[in-house]
Amino acid sequence: MAAVVGTPDLRRSAVFAIETLAVALSYYAAGRLGLMRELVVEGAVFTPIWPPTGVAVACLLIFGLRSWVGIALGALLVIVSLTSLHPAVIGNLVGNTAAPVCAYLMLRKVGFRNDLARLRDGLALVFLGALAAMLLSSTVGVGLLVLTDRLDAHSFWAVWSAWWVGDAMGVLIVTPVLLVLHMVHRPLRLSRWKEASGLALIACVLVPLATQSPVSLLFLVYPLLIWAALRFQLAGSMLCALFTSVMATFAATDQAGPFERLSRVEVMIKLQAFNGTMALTALLLSAVIAEQRNTRRSVERACQELVEVLEHLTAGDAPPGRPAKDTED
């Protein structure tokens, strides 16, 4: 009996350990990728997009609240790889773990669905999961820098805004992509693959041109996002937004293309404004399109059921799902 009882517990413990390790490694890998491109504001180094926040929120939405252990472990690995252990590290660790957990709790409170098929889900991810929840990590992180005399008090708001927007961008861009990849179950039809290949080819040509050209051509990306959202909904629009954001970040950190001859603060403002508006356009437009298509399918299904009921009534039969009336009655 002890062996029978112990086996499920052991299996659950093994699954939990594997999930925790996978989340921690994913968080750490995303952190190393994010640190490849950095900007300096008021003497503080920050990343324009911090992918670990997006990874953390996605893991919580997919695996549940138990993922916080892996998030904390991954955040600790990232922090230790950058600096030595000191009291401020504990505060940063708490802030980096608590912010995604707050995002998860708020999203679940409002009935968020992982398929992002409703406009309310897109709005919840933007305003609760990204903008509101990431206030916690940025405030804790920059506040500790000021309290430990690693940052001047007059630089608080500039560094705080850069930290906050970087964390929020990670949620807006990375989380939807991971949720889409988790929910993909079947490949596209051959005709859709042809269109998807054409879209990808055009993106590979147009996006580098828009982000590297000294002439300001960033607006050329928006028709591409609209095409991707109309034809491939969230998967197409967010993958396109992710690629564009990465290319724009490369150009901004190299101060090339539309970011040439700008100050560091101007580079940060222009990059974050572009990434933010692009992510909002891709996310909300695809959510509206998905919601409209689901509504149309529901109406078509209801009309089809009504037609079947009318056909049975015309023929004198009972409607489907209802017992026939007893003739003796």
Side-chain angles (χ1 to χ4, degrees):
M1 177 63 69
V4 174
V5 174
T7 300
D9 295 336
L10 182 62
R11 187 180 298 111
R12 283 193 294 268
S13 300
V15 171
F16 174 74
I18 293 173
E19 283 185 2
T20 300
L21 183 60
V23 171
L25 292 178
S26 300
Y27 190 102
Y28 177 75
R32 299 309 301 178
L33 287 175
L35 292 170
M36 292 175 64
R37 293 287 170 165
E38 300 172 342
L39 290 175
V40 180
V41 176
E42 298 291 341
V45 179
F46 76 100
T47 56
I49 301 174
W50 186 235
T53 57
V55 172
V57 174
C59 289
L60 286 165
L61 291 172
I62 293 172
F63 299 115
L65 193 57
R66 64 181 182 273
S67 297
W68 76 266
V69 180
I71 294 170
L73 179 59
L76 179 62
L77 292 175
V78 173
I79 294 174
V80 170
S81 68
L82 297 175
T83 182
S84 58
L85 289 175
H86 51 83
V89 169
I90 304 301
N92 280 326
L93 180 62
V94 172
N96 291 338
T97 305
V101 171
C102 277
Y104 167 79
L105 294 176
M106 287 190 293
L107 290 174
R108 285 294 178 243
K109 184 70 174 178
V110 298
F112 177 83
R113 289 191 342 205
N114 290 357
D115 57 3
L116 285 165
R118 302 174 300 176
L119 179 59
R120 59 178 292 185
D121 297 325
L123 293 173
L125 185 63
V126 171
F127 291 102
L128 297 180
L131 300 181
M134 296 305 121
L135 292 171
L136 182 59
S137 58
S138 58
T139 303
V140 171
V142 182
L144 287 173
L145 290 178
V146 174
L147 291 176
T148 55
D149 294 327
R150 295 172 179 264
L151 181 70
D152 295 333
H154 70 273
S155 302
F156 176 86
W157 290 111
V159 177
W160 177 88
S161 61
W163 190 316
W164 173 57
V165 174
D167 284 359
M169 287 300 103
V171 176
L172 286 180
I173 295 175
V174 177
T175 298
V177 173
L178 295 179
L179 292 178
V180 166
L181 293 177
H182 177 256
M183 299 186 69
V184 171
H185 299 295
R186 58 182 181 180
L188 294 175
R189 298 189 301 271
L190 180 60
S191 59
R192 302 299 302 279
W193 271 114
K194 293 179 181 179
E195 185 179 0
S197 301
L199 176 62
L201 181 61
I202 294 174
C204 290
V205 174
L206 184 61
V207 172
L209 174 64
T211 55
Q212 296 294 328
S213 174
V215 182
S216 184
L217 298 176
L218 292 176
F219 63 89
L220 293 177
V221 173
Y222 290 98
L224 195 66
L225 289 176
I226 295 173
W227 178 15
L230 287 173
R231 298 297 296 162
F232 300 99
Q233 287 80 56
L234 190 67
S237 63
M238 291 312 303
L239 287 174
C240 186
L242 176 62
F243 175 61
T244 305
S245 178
V246 170
M247 296 302 298
T249 302
F250 283 176
T253 52
D254 293 337
Q255 288 193 308
F259 304 96
E260 192 176 1
R261 294 188 297 273
L262 296 179
S263 67
R264 291 177 177 177
V265 175
E266 290 172 339
V267 168
M268 179 199 71
I269 294 174
K270 186 170 185 176
L271 175 64
Q272 302 294 38
F274 172 70
N275 282 338
T277 54
M278 181 187 57
L280 285 174
T281 300
L283 181 60
L284 298 183
L285 179 60
S286 58
V288 169
I289 293 172
E291 188 174 44
Q292 290 181 343
R293 292 195 173 190
N294 290 336
T295 302
R296 186 184 64 187
R297 292 193 188 100
S298 298
V299 172
E300 290 176 351
R301 188 163 50 249
C303 291
Q304 182 63 32
E305 292 176 355
L306 180 59
V307 168
E308 293 178 358
V309 170
L310 291 176
E311 289 177 349
H312 282 84
L313 291 176
T314 303
D317 300 330
R322 296 184 180 179
K325 187 178 180 179
D326 193 350
T327 55
E328 292 182 1
D329 293 341

